[in-house]
Amino acid sequence: MSLNLEQYVSEFSAQNINGEHLLQLDGSKLKALGMTSSQDRAIIKRKLKEMKASLEKARKAQEKMEKQREKLRKKEQEQLQRSKKTDKCSSDATEGTNEQ
């Protein structure tokens, strides 16, 4: 509707075209849905291309954030392990001094 193509809403609804299905449509599928105007198909295809690019950008940003979180978790685990080793060495040294 925001693209001024509301004449196709009823057919898209009747065919249960949701967002996921919409992203899979190409020119021939749009034509089969009753979109006979090549201009209207071009508008939809251009918008779908923009949406796919936006989704891909968001997916890549999500992957980047997940990698950063994983890197931080690993770093925290390494610091924790080093801290435990340092504590153990300090404890062993203290015990050795007490025994003497």
Side-chain angles (χ1 to χ4, degrees), residues 35-50:
M35 195 173 278
T36 55
S37 167
S38 61
Q39 274 186 317
D40 291 351
R41 287 193 308 272
I43 290 169
I44 292 284
K45 288 191 294 187
R46 183 173 46 252
K47 190 65 173 176
L48 289 173
K49 186 176 180 179
E50 290 172 12

Side-chain angles (χ1 to χ4, degrees), residues 3-20:
L3 300 174
N4 295 321
L5 300 172
E6 49 276 330
Q7 67 268 29
Y8 303 110
V9 170
S10 61
E11 184 61 28
F12 277 51
S13 295
Q15 297 294 324
N16 295 319
I17 303 297
N18 60 23
E20 190 175 325

Side-chain angles (χ1 to χ4, degrees), residues 21-82:
H21 290 125
L22 188 63
L23 291 172
Q24 305 302 318
L25 299 178
D26 60 12
S28 63
K29 290 177 184 173
L30 289 169
K31 201 171 188 176
L33 284 167
M35 195 173 278
T36 55
S37 167
S38 61
Q39 274 186 317
D40 291 351
R41 287 193 308 272
I43 290 169
I44 292 284
K45 288 191 294 187
R46 183 173 46 252
K47 190 65 173 176
L48 289 173
K49 186 176 180 179
E50 290 172 12
M51 290 170 64
K52 287 176 184 177
S54 180
L55 284 171
E56 183 65 18
K57 186 176 179 180
R59 185 188 63 76
K60 286 183 180 181
Q62 180 70 27
E63 285 178 358
K64 185 177 179 181
M65 294 263 303
E66 288 173 8
K67 285 180 182 178
Q68 288 174 340
R69 283 189 199 124
E70 184 62 30
K71 190 175 179 180
L72 280 173
R73 274 194 291 267
K74 285 181 181 179
K75 190 173 183 178
E76 288 172 355
Q77 285 177 346
E78 289 171 1
Q79 287 175 344
L80 185 61
Q81 287 174 350
R82 275 190 237 125

